[in-house]
Amino acid sequence: MSKHSNGLPKRCVITIDGPAGVGKSTAARLLAQRLGLVYLDTGATYRALAYAALQQGVALDREPQLARLARALPLRLSQTRNGALVVWLGSRNITRPIRTERVTEAAAAIAQHPRVRAALVQLQRRLANSTRLVAEGRDTGTVVFPRAPLKFFLTAKARIRAGRRRAEMQSLEGRSPALPVILKQLKARDQLDRRRHVGPLVKPAGAVVLDTSSLDAEAVVERMLRHLPEILVASIR
Ligand code: DC
């Protein structure tokens, strides 16, 4: 078994899946930072494509055009010194604009198209460009990196997820709809995520389930770290 200095094997993909507002991004970023792994936010690829489609006036129901756009998307991800994700489309920093409500809704719509998903999964694997990473999204443990030796599936009560989403919108846009409105939108997006035929949101086989309803990101990461030995076990199987 070939190992790096932090004791982890060369192939070390950790996946974190779960619905919106469950705390995946923060946990994934912190975990990657703690372990010195690359952090891959697959949701950012759906958001970047939705942003590009809105910019270029491509209708959100035109699957072939969207898939073509996805295959040629000049997307790049980088990280700041403190580990925050920076999303680039060509030379344009689109980190903030892809978090607006409009792009959030558009991303949920385009994520339904199988050909778009196929193109973005290819892009995600290319972006990963490493066998040592923490990937987060909806299908990272089932479709994107099905052979990952350690998988997590996060859950949390819908009301709590809506509250987190509201706080995020407040800080991003300086305003947000009332909690019941956000809750309704969140449940609608959950249905889209769970019911689609390709890459639906499901618990990957063998994934560790963590309920984050009463946990902050640090506590989630602490719990995740307890499962690290499973990677070593998987790597010698
Ligand atoms: O995690 P997020 O909110 O940034 O994701 C944005 C959208 O992309 C969301 O509607 C679900 C979709 N998505 C997906 O279908 N598959 C993924 N692996 C990641 C995100």
Side-chain angles (χ1 to χ4, degrees):
M1 180 175 53
S2 145
K3 288 187 186 176
H4 284 248
S5 52
N6 64 6
L8 290 168
K10 231 181 192 169
R11 284 195 69 83
C12 173
V13 178
I14 300 175
T15 63
I16 305 178
D17 291 302
V22 85
K24 295 183 302 286
S25 301
T26 315
R29 184 169 52 76
L30 288 178
L31 185 67
Q33 228 175 348
R34 290 276 277 273
L35 298 174
L37 305 183
V38 170
Y39 161 49
L40 176 66
D41 172 0
T42 60
T45 65
Y46 290 89
R47 289 175 178 273
L49 178 63
Y51 175 86
L54 292 171
Q55 287 278 306
Q56 298 182 27
V58 178
L60 303 178
D61 58 355
R62 306 297 291 270
E63 184 170 6
Q65 282 91 331
L66 290 167
R68 209 173 307 129
L69 193 60
R71 285 193 292 272
L73 203 66
L75 181 68
R76 200 164 53 80
L77 305 180
S78 64
Q79 274 171 273
T80 63
R81 217 182 274 270
N82 66 8
L85 185 76
V86 186
V87 184
W88 301 90
L89 199 59
S91 58
R92 179 129 196 247
N93 182 339
I94 58 165
T95 311
R96 280 180 78 86
I98 61 167
R99 302 286 157 190
T100 60
E101 202 41 31
R102 186 157 174 252
V103 175
T104 299
E105 291 293 328
I110 60 154
Q112 302 309 308
H113 303 306
R115 289 164 68 181
V116 167
R117 298 195 71 83
L120 289 183
V121 167
Q122 293 305 320
L123 174 63
Q124 289 154 17
R125 291 183 183 142
R126 266 202 319 277
L127 284 173
N129 193 24
S130 164
T131 49
R132 309 183 80 238
L133 70 133
V134 179
E136 61 94 352
R138 305 293 189 286
D139 61 351
T140 62
T142 50
V143 176
V144 192
F145 302 108
R147 297 179 51 164
L150 181 57
K151 302 176 183 181
F152 293 99
F153 190 75
L154 304 191
T155 63
K157 293 189 181 78
R159 268 197 95 71
I160 291 185
R161 295 192 285 120
R164 290 176 183 158
R165 176 71 189 136
R166 183 158 194 250
E168 185 189 35
M169 285 163 88
Q170 286 282 4
S171 89
L172 262 173
E173 303 187 54
R175 64 192 163 85
S176 86
L179 201 62
V181 177
I182 297 183
L183 192 58
K184 204 171 153 206
Q185 292 169 341
L186 196 89
K187 285 183 173 168
R189 279 204 293 275
D190 280 357
Q191 290 300 324
L192 286 178
D193 276 336
R194 293 201 162 102
R195 287 193 184 156
R196 69 173 160 252
H197 294 299
V198 179
L201 173 65
V202 285
K203 179 179 100 65
V208 176
V209 179
L210 293 176
D211 185 333
T212 69
S213 300
S214 57
L215 300 175
D216 65 15
E218 281 291 346
V220 172
V221 170
E222 285 307 321
R223 278 176 177 65
M224 288 177 161
L225 289 171
R226 292 180 200 161
H227 292 274
L228 273 196
E230 291 165 30
I231 292 188
L232 302 177
V233 172
S235 72
I236 53 175
R237 248 187 238 138

